[in-house]
Amino acid sequence: MVNQQSSAVREPAVHPLIWQAESTVAGPFVFTSAVLATVGSTGITPPATPRPSFLVSDITLQTESVLSSISDTLAAAGISLAHVVKANVFLADPTDFYEFDRVWNTYFTRPPTRTTVAVSGLLVPEAKIEISVVALRADSGITAVPATSDAPRPMTKKVEAVTAGDFVFTSGQLAHDAVNGLPTEATGATTRCDVGKQTAYVLANMRRSLAAAGATADQVVKAQTLLTDLSDPAGFDAIWNSSHTGLPALATIGISALLVTDTIIEIDLTAYLGDTVRRSERDTSRGPDAVGCGDLAFSAGVYAGMDTGDVPPQLLPHHAYPYYSSAVELQTEWVLDRLDDALTSVGSSLGRTVKAQVFLRNMADFPIFEQVWRRRFAQPPARSVVQVPRLPAEGAVVAVEVIAAARETSSI
């Protein structure tokens, strides 16, 4: 793989209202911040507000606005939507998916991998959609290669997996058979919504997708599991921990809805085909806090209570003095310290973060979270922020996962 110097592309340097770069670069990749249909301090942009016509919906207009904005950001980095290899889409309402997908298909002649879920809130109250992407640099010397396996076909215009240099990105997969929805082999004996059965079904299909892209499950370095039900962690763990010889950095997040009836988990994976893998010494029962590989380092999803399932008392306001401290401030500081330790142990650091995904339990906590974020990042990374209905530990109010530049490299 061609090594590229880690740097930032900011045009303008920082979002006018919040502390995040429009895009950043590490190795051969460009990472964008999540984009909503907004501009400046005016909220939803005029072209993305409902027109006085029954022919065009809010979601159509907002998706067009978001994809146009991402296209402009990529153009500032010297590339286009054709260079995108991975997209993350968050919808405020899953019923908007059909019209979103129609617009998406007009912007991508060659679809990237994509993960799409519904969350409980976005940063702007009227926003219906948020999208961020990972793209290849024009000078990377890499051609993205899509993969097709004999796993159930995606129902939309996306590919199962894409190989981009030493990395393989997958689309998010659910337990469906592309014909009837949830298959019988993914249902439990007493309930259709069995997280262990669904996890096993999804991972079996993802192994087929990875194989088509030239990777194995043991080469997975980063995983994101998005669940509508977090009530059976043991059922998930029993399958997850037996599926890899070297566990990846894992983020587990509760979300509002998935796109197939009765599915409760969506998984997406990133694999590394090289041999320079570094796992952090500190880990949880589900895997390491961070994994370094080549030019990048991937963190787990870090949240208060991730070690024991219980949020430490010092990270919650004292019951007798509930107004004298802030849970989101205490926990954000702790999360960022934990991330810095994890990244440092694999040859990176918090300051080398190029992309962050932030999950808040309550979007009203964002102003205090943002104050901590500004203190910790002299140069802000690209970032996405969404509100989710639940996190794995009761009392946890924020979770963060990041991608960082693993080391300084020389341009070739």
Side-chain angles (χ1 to χ4, degrees):
M1 187 176 84
V2 177
N3 287 330
Q4 301 289 348
Q5 185 173 358
S6 302
S7 58
V9 177
R10 301 185 180 93
E11 195 60 44
V14 179
H15 188 283
L17 293 178
I18 54 180
W19 197 237
Q20 61 189 41
E22 286 192 358
S23 64
T24 56
V25 170
F29 299 111
V30 177
F31 302 87
T32 75
S33 283
V35 177
L36 300 90
T38 62
V39 62
S41 59
T42 60
I44 298 297
T45 56
T49 55
R51 294 175 185 170
S53 168
F54 62 88
L55 296 176
V56 183
S57 71
D58 292 11
I59 187 62
T60 296
L61 296 167
Q62 290 196 25
T63 304
E64 290 173 346
S65 175
V66 167
L67 291 175
S68 177
S69 179
I70 291 173
S71 181
D72 290 344
T73 296
L74 295 176
I79 55 176
S80 69
L81 291 173
H83 293 83
V84 173
V85 294
K86 174 70 179 180
N88 287 94
V89 180
F90 295 103
L91 293 169
D93 183 347
T95 64
D96 284 334
F97 174 77
Y98 176 72
E99 291 187 58
F100 147 75
D101 198 49
R102 291 179 62 187
V103 177
W104 180 271
N105 293 341
T106 67
Y107 278 79
F108 289 95
T109 55
R110 187 185 69 184
T113 59
R114 189 181 73 192
T115 298
T116 307
V117 296
V119 292
S120 56
L122 301 173
L123 266 175
V124 177
E126 295 176 343
K128 290 178 169 289
I129 188 168
E130 173 178 301
I131 304 174
S132 66
V133 303
V134 181
L136 281 167
R137 291 175 66 170
D139 59 354
S140 67
I142 294 171
T143 299
V145 180
T148 302
S149 75
D150 59 352
R153 297 289 300 136
M155 300 293 289
T156 60
K157 194 173 182 179
K158 65 179 183 180
V159 294
E160 298 170 54
V162 166
T163 303
D166 286 341
F167 290 91
V168 175
F169 300 92
T170 75
S171 287
Q173 290 197 28
L174 306 108
H176 74 91
D177 60 9
V179 178
N180 299 308
L182 184 70
T184 55
E185 57 265 44
T187 62
T190 59
T191 177
R192 286 179 61 80
C193 299
D194 185 304
V195 69
K197 290 281 191 177
Q198 291 196 24
T199 301
Y201 183 89
V202 172
L203 289 176
N205 284 330
M206 297 199 84
R207 283 192 287 271
R208 293 150 76 182
S209 297
L210 289 169
T216 68
D218 291 336
Q219 291 175 301
V220 173
V221 292
K222 169 66 182 176
Q224 187 180 67
T225 58
L226 302 150
L227 296 105
T228 60
D229 185 352
L230 293 172
S231 63
D232 185 16
F236 168 79
D237 288 344
I239 302 300
W240 182 257
N241 293 338
S242 64
S243 299
H244 313 80
T245 56
L247 290 172
L250 172 66
T252 299
I253 301 296
I255 44 90
S256 298
L258 297 171
L259 298 175
V260 177
T261 302
D262 290 331
T263 58
I264 57 176
I265 185 168
E266 181 161 352
I267 303 174
D268 78 29
L269 305 173
T270 302
Y272 178 65
L273 304 177
D275 55 7
T276 57
V277 176
R278 305 169 301 280
R279 287 180 168 82
S280 62
E281 294 181 1
R282 172 188 278 173
D283 59 20
T284 67
S285 61
R286 292 180 174 179
D289 278 7
V291 176
C293 45
D295 294 326
L296 301 179
F298 298 88
S299 85
V302 175
Y303 57 91
M306 62 186 292
D307 296 313
T308 64
D310 296 314
V311 176
Q314 66 269 25
L315 298 181
L316 295 168
H318 192 282
H319 68 88
Y321 304 97
Y323 311 115
Y324 284 73
S325 62
S326 160
V328 71
E329 181 173 21
L330 294 169
Q331 292 183 28
T332 302
E333 291 281 12
W334 183 90
V335 164
L336 295 181
D337 284 342
R338 177 77 171 245
L339 283 168
D340 195 22
D341 288 345
L343 293 170
T344 299
S345 72
V346 296
S348 184
S349 68
L350 187 66
R352 292 184 181 179
T353 298
V354 291
K355 175 62 191 287
Q357 175 67 69
V358 179
F359 301 94
L360 292 171
R361 283 283 287 108
N362 188 339
M363 200 61 83
D365 285 336
F366 178 75
I368 295 176
F369 163 83
E370 179 78 342
Q371 291 174 18
V372 179
W373 194 264
R374 286 173 181 262
R375 291 198 300 265
R376 300 299 294 268
F377 289 98
Q379 294 293 329
R383 187 181 65 180
S384 305
V385 182
V386 296
Q387 178 178 304
V388 293
R390 59 194 67 84
L391 292 171
E394 184 68 30
V397 297
V398 59
V400 181
E401 56 179 320
V402 305
I403 303 171
R407 60 181 182 271
E408 295 296 336
T409 56
S410 299
S411 296
I412 296 177

